[in-house]
Amino acid sequence: LLDRKCMLQRLVAVASWALAPTPAVYALSSPTPNGQGQIASTAQILEGNAVATAQVAYKGLSLPMDDFGVTIPVACWFPKKGDTTTTTTTTTSKPASYQYRISVRRIGQLLADWQFIPGLVARKFSLDPTSSSVADGSNEDIPQSGPVIILAHGFLGSNFDLSHLAESLAAEGFTCFAAEYPESLVASYDRFEGLDRDVINMELLKYLKKDLKLQSTKFGIIGHSLGCFTVLKTGDESWARVCIAGSPRRRDGTSIPGNILFISSMGDGLIARFGGAEAYPKDIALLDEGEVLTSTERLPSRAAIIYDRPNAPNHISFLTESVNEAMIEFLSPLLPVAKAFNIPVLDFDRYQVSRDSKQTAEIVHPLIVRYMKQQLM
């Protein structure tokens, strides 16, 4: 056992050296240099560091958790001021940028209870939005009315995992919030006993009402993987819910009432853990992939779709491309270590081959947007 532990520490030490942080910050949406140590986005190339037709604004928020002495980062996407529909504005705005981080120490702690990885083994990335119409909303007010959607990331995820979906939703008039939970690989704050997703979400909802003065009475929540348990526990029966690549039931095995859409894939390496189609409540209507995107009929309020074909999405195909590419770029040296010690990689290895975030979004996002508009607008 001691020899195994020593070998493990040496392997991780070698990988950690390979992953040592560098001063470069990366934007992963375009290969065109902008001469400032980053990579220019399409919006920067076309508009000279400005977005001329921005539909969506993005701003980072800080949620104080006074009982724990920490601040939780919260990403927010909202319709740009004066634009509550899909009609674009004509004002010129600074493009948004997502500040993303990967902590190898946090990954080691959560996957293998490794406490010996230095905290400095991390890297920061500057990610461009998926859409070129997302502006920096740091100085803009968040709409006080309109439907609100909470985004819940999965295990070792981040509040930017579903940023591409948030952009699509905000362009349709939704205001979206994504908190960084304690299981995130970003590791912006220390974990504490009692500080969990439920506590953070309750505080976030108070913050929206008290500090941001939001007056919305219509709420939705979307989760990926572990975030689906968050979806099933948050809000009341009036909320609209979407579960992506996660469990269709609560941890105690019971189903949740109300409006809910389940999205899963037979290409997901974790689907067996959630039981497949047999695990869905009996009153869930199964949608046909070949018909749902072209149909004009109203979607059932309780529905599910299972992608079942040779190139069906894997577990992380549902995440934003720039986040997946950052993980591949930084974490690939650790993949042999994980496989050597049978540590779950959550389809990371499969995505290295498929690289299908964009293709997955093209079929999934229209369905989610349509469902949320149907339920909340």
Side-chain angles (χ1 to χ4, degrees):
L1 179 62
L2 182 60
D3 289 342
R4 178 181 171 87
K5 183 177 180 180
C6 289
M7 181 176 68
L8 168 63
Q9 290 180 336
R10 289 176 181 177
L11 282 169
V12 173
V14 171
S16 298
W17 175 82
L19 298 173
T22 63
V25 182
Y26 300 92
L28 299 174
S29 65
S30 169
T32 305
N34 67 2
Q36 297 179 348
Q38 294 187 344
I39 300 175
S41 69
T42 303
Q44 290 173 324
I45 295 168
L46 295 180
E47 300 296 337
N49 296 320
V51 181
T53 57
Q55 297 174 241
V56 174
Y58 161 79
K59 71 188 308 181
L61 303 173
S62 296
L63 177 66
M65 304 293 294
D66 295 334
D67 291 344
F68 300 93
V70 299
T71 300
I72 308 297
V74 178
C76 177
W77 295 263
F78 52 96
K80 193 160 169 55
K81 189 174 181 180
D83 180 21
T84 57
T85 68
T86 57
T87 304
T88 60
T89 65
T90 57
T91 56
T92 299
S93 306
K94 177 184 175 182
S97 179
Y98 306 148
Q99 302 310 303
Y100 177 65
R101 179 176 181 265
I102 298 175
S103 167
V104 177
R105 175 176 173 81
R106 178 62 58 86
I107 294 172
Q109 289 174 333
L110 293 178
L111 282 181
D113 196 27
W114 296 343
Q115 305 298 330
F116 55 85
I117 301 176
L120 292 176
V121 185
R123 184 177 294 177
K124 295 180 179 180
F125 297 81
S126 181
L127 307 180
D128 287 332
T130 300
S131 170
S132 60
S133 63
V134 182
D136 183 346
S138 300
N139 298 320
E140 296 198 29
D141 294 329
I142 297 172
Q144 294 184 343
S145 60
V148 170
I149 293 179
I150 306 297
L151 300 171
H153 67 72
F155 186 69
L156 288 176
S158 79
N159 50 352
F160 296 117
D161 280 5
L162 298 176
S163 60
H164 57 340
L165 176 57
E167 294 167 17
S168 297
L169 288 163
E172 296 289 340
F174 295 93
T175 298
C176 301
F177 297 91
E180 179 192 321
Y181 297 123
E183 305 88 359
S184 173
L185 52 61
V186 176
S188 297
Y189 56 92
D190 292 332
R191 293 179 296 146
F192 293 93
E193 184 176 354
L195 179 60
D196 59 23
R197 291 166 175 252
D198 295 342
V199 172
I200 291 172
N201 282 347
M202 285 190 293
E203 199 64 31
L204 175 59
L205 291 173
K206 293 178 185 177
Y207 176 80
L208 300 186
K209 184 176 181 180
K210 181 179 179 181
D211 294 78
L212 298 184
K213 310 297 183 185
L214 265 62
Q215 302 170 5
S216 177
T217 58
K218 295 185 177 181
F219 288 86
I221 183 167
I222 301 170
H224 173 260
S225 191
L226 178 64
C228 290
F229 286 119
T230 310
V231 167
L232 300 178
K233 293 176 66 176
T234 306
D236 56 31
E237 289 188 31
S238 69
W239 284 46
R241 295 176 166 82
V242 176
C243 288
I244 305 171
S247 175
R249 295 180 179 270
R250 297 186 180 106
R251 291 185 185 276
D252 63 3
T254 60
S255 62
I256 187 170
N259 303 327
I260 189 163
L261 172 65
F262 297 103
I263 298 174
S264 61
S265 170
M266 296 306 293
D268 184 347
L270 279 70
I271 192 170
R273 186 176 299 183
F274 303 125
E278 293 75 17
Y280 289 118
K282 299 301 182 184
D283 63 341
I284 295 294
L286 290 179
L287 304 176
D288 182 86
E289 178 185 358
E291 299 177 0
V292 68
L293 290 182
T294 57
S295 172
T296 58
E297 295 183 6
R298 184 177 176 84
L299 294 168
S301 60
R302 292 174 61 78
I305 186 167
I306 303 175
Y307 298 103
D308 187 3
R309 44 184 162 77
N311 62 341
N314 59 62
H315 194 65
I316 64 173
S317 300
F318 298 99
L319 307 187
T320 303
E321 182 182 47
S322 59
V323 166
N324 281 339
E325 291 300 318
M327 288 194 292
I328 287 174
E329 178 179 332
F330 187 45
L331 297 178
S332 291
L334 279 177
L335 189 57
V337 179
K339 288 185 174 181
F341 290 89
N342 295 318
I343 297 172
V345 295
L346 308 176
D347 277 357
F348 180 82
D349 53 341
R350 295 188 183 193
Y351 186 83
Q352 279 188 305
V353 177
S354 67
R355 304 295 248 278
D356 58 345
S357 284
K358 284 185 177 180
Q359 296 91 322
T360 302
E362 287 173 357
I363 59 172
V364 172
H365 290 190
L367 177 62
I368 294 176
V369 171
R370 176 181 167 192
Y371 182 80
M372 283 302 191
K373 289 181 71 174
Q374 178 180 297
Q375 299 300 325
L376 300 177
M377 288 185 168

